Amino acid sequence: MIEWYKIAMFQNYSNFSGRARRSEYWYFRLTTALLFFVFIFLGGILTAVLGTTAGFSIAVGLFCLYVIASIIPSLAVTVRRMHDIGKSGWTVLVSLIPLAGPIWILVLLITEGEHGENYYGPDPKSTIEEIDEIGINN
């Protein structure tokens, strides 16, 4: 889980080309949700220790900084996920349509990616290249 998060957050920070598997996208989202709960827990602890709501404000501030830092990687992994199912990255804008847009994007995000190479690059799940190398003398 952490490996997929590190790939999306640090290695492909602003990579909007190529394709992202469902696991890369959903592990990134899961880790972000877990970090949200960690910040809430941290806020509760700081509030108890300091005896004021200042601790919670500090935790919320830290989470806001995290959200700002993760906007570009989040958008990039979502665009690459759209590429995996053969859609343009601009399809993400459909989520701005009230009610129906987020539901449609959710359906697209849980759809299995196209098998084989598509317009956006090779299949990230494919092992054909490895199989083709079997028996080749180097």
Side-chain angles (χ1 to χ4, degrees):
M1 177 172 91
I2 296 298
E3 288 301 317
W4 288 115
Y5 179 78
K6 288 192 305 190
I7 288 171
M9 187 69 175
F10 301 113
Q11 292 175 355
N12 285 330
Y13 182 81
S14 60
N15 181 10
F16 289 85
S17 62
R19 296 166 64 175
R21 298 172 60 177
R22 281 184 294 185
S23 54
E24 179 181 352
Y25 176 81
W26 288 108
Y27 281 135
F28 178 80
R29 292 295 178 202
L30 175 64
T31 306
T32 299
L34 291 174
L35 284 172
F36 171 74
F37 288 113
V38 166
F39 281 112
I40 294 297
F41 183 72
L42 177 66
I45 290 174
L46 287 174
T47 300
V49 169
L50 298 176
T52 66
T53 58
F56 195 74
S57 299
I58 292 169
V60 169
L62 290 173
F63 183 72
C64 288
L65 289 175
Y66 169 76
V67 168
I68 291 169
S70 67
I71 286 174
I72 292 174
S74 177
L75 186 58
V77 75
T78 305
V79 166
R80 288 195 318 273
R81 180 73 200 115
M82 291 293 117
H83 289 172
D84 193 41
I85 59 172
K87 304 284 185 196
S88 167
W90 292 103
T91 306
V92 172
L93 295 178
V94 170
S95 65
L96 298 176
I97 299 171
L99 191 61
I103 294 170
W104 178 244
I105 290 297
L106 178 63
V107 169
L108 292 176
L109 291 171
I110 61 175
T111 302
E112 184 175 3
E114 292 181 347
H115 296 286
E117 188 169 338
N118 69 9
Y119 179 76
Y120 300 101
D123 187 354
K125 289 173 91 173
S126 178
T127 59
I128 299 299
E129 294 83 20
E130 295 171 7
I131 292 173
D132 287 343
E133 291 178 7
I134 296 174
I136 296 176
N137 294 329
N138 290 331

